[in-house]
Structure formats: C-alpha cells, structure tokens
Amino acid sequence: MLKFSKLLACVAVFGALSAGAFSEGVDYMKLEKPIPNVDKTLIKVFSYDCPFCYKYDKSVTPVVVSKVASEAKFRPFHLKTKGKYGELASELFAVLIIKDETNGVSSLFDDNSLFKKAKMAYYKAYHDKKERWSDGKDPEAFLKVGLDATGLSKTDFETSLKDEKVQSLLKEWDVSYDVAKIQGVPAFVVNGKYLIYTAKITSIDAMEQLIKELLTK
C-alpha cells in the first residue's frame, strides 16, 4: 500500500524521472507461456473486486495508455476467477467491449465507452459503497448495476453473449489466471510476452519507457 501511495504521488506531480536501464528479472519477466496473437499490445489483467485495479484505472492506466497508444493497442482482460461474480462480470464486459468496437468507440477510456461505464460503476459500487450483492447469491442485482450504467437490457445482454466475437473474447481471457497467479492483479503484459513487475514502477514516465522498450523486443 505504501508503494502504491508513492506511485500516486508521482502521478500527481507527473515527475519526469528517467527510467534508466531496465532488466529482465528486475523490472519485468518473460512469460513461460506467452499469450498468442497479441503482438503490439498492452494487456491489463484486472478484476472488478481488485482495489489496486480501481486505483490504477483512476490515475495511472488511462495516462500510460494514451502515451503508448500510437505504438500499442490496449487490451483489458478480466479475471473471471476472482470475485464472487467474476464470471458474470467477464461476460458483461466482453459483450460491452464488442459493442464498443461495433459502435466505433475509439478508446475504452472514452466517456462514451459502455465498457468504461460498467467497469467504473462496479468499481464504485464494490469499493466505495461496499456493495456485495449477497456475496454471490444475487447475480440479478449484480448484473443490474452494469445494465443500468450502460442502458443495456437483460435481453440484449443475453442475446449478445451468444455472439461469436464475444465468446471468442471470453475464451481468449482464459489465460488471465496463469498471468495473475504470478504476482496478482493488475498485471500488465507487453506483446503477450513480458510481464511488468508493478512493485518496481516508480512513475508514469518510467512505466511508459519500459513499455516502449519491451514493444521493440
């Protein structure tokens, strides 16, 4: 928690610290099982019930993604094995991401993004309001938070969930557990090969430089 507080302090002042030399085993590791077909990407494995994922999404991730947008596509992977409603959250997030793509939303951090609306609604409900939706016993109440935030009907959600693109995305996200079990979430992976050690992040500038360096490998 102390390390994260230091990170947020760096974010607040946008200190332009030099990243210096980055080393495998110190700043990042090479995954034994690379994620396939994700060249030139920055993947963030996250969970709606992860407090650090929430904090990163409020202050860090959007800024970093904007800095590397011309070189890497941002891909959020939701971890279905974490949280009482992890699987249901993954299904809804996958549906909304595909809808954003269909609607031509340029960024998943755009205020018009359905994915962003639902994600932030769950973060606020779970972490700020301490809502638990009967600890896994009331999926209807959990789902309603995301549907209300996006204006999506339950029927539309259930129909869209059958879409091949949605099912393909959910299958792709199955690798999230193997990544998350290494050091928890959020977990940032570059080019599907390199996992950044988040504990070593000292500033947004350093994170940007590390990502850009790993994109060239």
Side-chain angles (χ1 to χ4, degrees):
M1 199 66 186
L2 179 59
K3 290 181 180 179
F4 193 86
S5 296
K6 290 180 179 179
L7 171 61
L8 291 184
C10 291
V11 172
V13 297
F14 287 91
L17 301 178
S18 173
F22 298 111
S23 303
E24 183 176 349
V26 177
D27 303 288
Y28 66 92
M29 68 169 286
K30 190 171 184 179
L31 295 176
E32 291 184 9
K33 291 182 178 180
I35 301 172
N37 306 315
V38 287
D39 191 38
K40 298 302 178 184
T41 63
L42 171 62
I43 289 172
K44 179 188 177 184
V45 178
F46 77 104
S47 168
Y48 75 87
D49 86 339
C50 163
F52 295 110
C53 296
Y54 181 23
K55 291 176 180 178
Y56 264 80
D57 271 347
K58 286 193 294 185
S59 308
V60 180
T61 315
V63 180
V64 171
V65 169
S66 68
K67 287 177 174 287
V68 301
S70 63
E71 299 164 67
K73 180 179 180 180
F74 176 66
R75 297 281 311 279
F77 279 35
H78 188 258
L79 181 63
K80 71 179 182 180
T81 56
K82 184 173 175 59
K84 298 289 186 179
Y85 297 102
E87 188 166 356
L88 181 56
S90 287
E91 291 176 344
L92 180 59
F93 287 149
V95 164
L96 297 177
I97 286 174
I98 297 302
K99 283 188 175 295
D100 280 344
E101 291 180 359
T102 301
N103 294 336
V105 175
S106 59
S107 169
L108 293 178
F109 293 101
D110 190 290
D111 288 339
N112 292 320
S113 166
L114 297 177
F115 167 70
K116 178 184 176 180
K117 290 178 180 179
K119 179 184 66 175
M120 297 310 294
Y122 282 119
Y123 277 150
K124 292 174 182 177
Y126 190 88
H127 300 287
D128 297 341
K129 299 178 181 178
K130 309 302 180 184
E131 177 61 70
R132 293 298 181 268
W133 305 281
S134 301
D135 288 325
K137 298 176 183 177
D138 195 352
E140 292 291 331
F142 178 84
L143 181 61
K144 187 175 185 299
V145 172
L147 297 181
D148 287 351
T150 59
L152 194 70
S153 69
K154 184 180 178 182
T155 299
D156 193 359
F157 162 66
E158 292 174 341
T159 300
S160 299
L161 185 58
K162 300 174 185 177
D163 186 279
E164 290 184 5
K165 290 183 178 179
V166 173
Q167 289 300 313
S168 177
L169 186 57
L170 286 169
K171 185 176 181 179
E172 189 176 16
W173 287 358
D174 283 343
V175 302
S176 297
Y177 176 75
D178 288 335
V179 175
K181 70 181 181 181
I182 297 172
Q183 63 169 3
V185 289
F188 294 90
V189 181
V190 180
N191 278 354
K193 301 176 184 177
Y194 305 104
L195 174 66
I196 293 175
Y197 288 140
T198 50
K200 296 294 183 179
I201 297 173
T202 58
S203 72
I204 282 182
D205 288 327
M207 188 174 181
E208 173 195 356
Q209 291 176 46
L210 174 55
I211 291 169
K212 289 183 175 180
E213 181 176 311
L214 294 176
L215 285 168
T216 65
K217 290 182 176 294

